[in-house]
Amino acid sequence: MTSEQWEPAAYKTRVDAVLHRVVAEEADRFAAIDPLLGPVAEQVEAAVADGKRLRAAFCYWGWRAAGQPDSDALVRAAASMELVHAAAVVHDDLIDDSPLRHGRPTAHLALRGAVRRRPRTRAAARSLAMLVGDLLMALAGELFTTSGLPAAYLSRARPLWLVMARELIAGECLEILRTGAGFDTSASLKVIRYKTAKYTVEQPLLIGGALAGADAGQQAGCSAYGLPLGEAFQLRDDLLGLFGDPRRTGKANADDLRGHRPTALLAETWRLAGDDDRALLRTFLGRRDADTEALEAVRATMLRLNSPARIEDMITARVEEALAALQDWRVTAPAALALTALAHSAAVRRA
């Protein structure tokens, strides 16, 4: 993608080429240490096999919005955002005990085969998955620093890595601490802001902008656009989590219900529910054996209370806020077009 027109598929191909090469090389080096490490190396590669590469796209357009031209070195640096995401996904699936990701068993389940004749198989597989995530995060930093961008450019963005990690980990911690602790829409929105919104949109934009030498006004534009859009992205995920088609999302529908997770969708449903509806929700929330019948009962209750429509309103309001901020942000014309398209693709999707 070297034209001024935003071509998402072409950009994704460029990012995929970087990711698959870098991760395959690291997986080979890792597996060469000992044959026993082969299944772990396979999960390192599996972690980046799929994805929309939105985080890399936002990093790229943070760079371009500040007036910099297309750059293969920048694409490599932006691809590191996808390794951060891959690490976060492996850890998140482990924390949530999720069974599926992209329609395949998650790392902590896939790795049970590697330890099936060992004591405490489940715990051992979970430990291996945790270490897969750790290796991916280390590889993200390595790819960023060896991307080929000048050292002076990298030094401008390096402090933002700690901010991104701090906020992502804070969001995960908040989700754990609030799981099963009652319902509060404002608290749920804070969780998604730190767990997802910031590292999905805002921080990649800021990192791309910092690499490009963005000034304070441009950095403010990154945040004003990126934060509401990141929240819209996760709110859409909340809806897809319960109402999406698993064949498209690649995830189990009942995960949020079984985990009693502090999603805005569940919080809004609880806020709108009467005593009878709350009694029904209590019956199913947090039950690991919640089945299709339970899922349908909760869905029906949500639809009757109109809580999915409330989440749709939140998504719409945040996309409008992001696009309004984009109007005030001093960006190049190609960046404005691309960021408008990305706003719609991030918040209006089926998977």
Side-chain angles (χ1 to χ4, degrees), residues 28-80:
D28 287 345
R29 287 191 289 264
F30 185 80
I33 294 171
D34 191 288
L36 278 176
L37 296 172
V40 183
E42 289 174 8
Q43 288 307 304
V44 172
E45 290 195 82
V48 299
D50 303 285
K52 305 174 191 67
R53 312 312 186 202
L54 282 174
R55 292 154 188 86
F58 284 118
C59 185
Y60 177 87
W61 285 107
W63 163 273
R64 294 292 303 276
Q68 292 281 9
D70 180 75
S71 160
D72 286 338
L74 186 280
V75 172
R76 288 191 290 274
S80 69

Side-chain angles (χ1 to χ4, degrees), residues 247-283:
R247 292 170 297 183
R248 296 182 71 94
T249 65
K251 295 185 281 189
N253 276 132
D255 273 5
D256 289 346
L257 183 64
R258 290 171 180 154
H260 195 167
R261 295 176 191 158
T263 67
L265 177 58
L266 284 171
E268 279 297 286
T269 301
W270 187 265
R271 184 181 66 81
L272 296 166
D275 290 343
D276 290 345
D277 291 325
R278 289 182 175 185
L280 180 142
L281 291 170
R282 286 192 194 97
T283 301

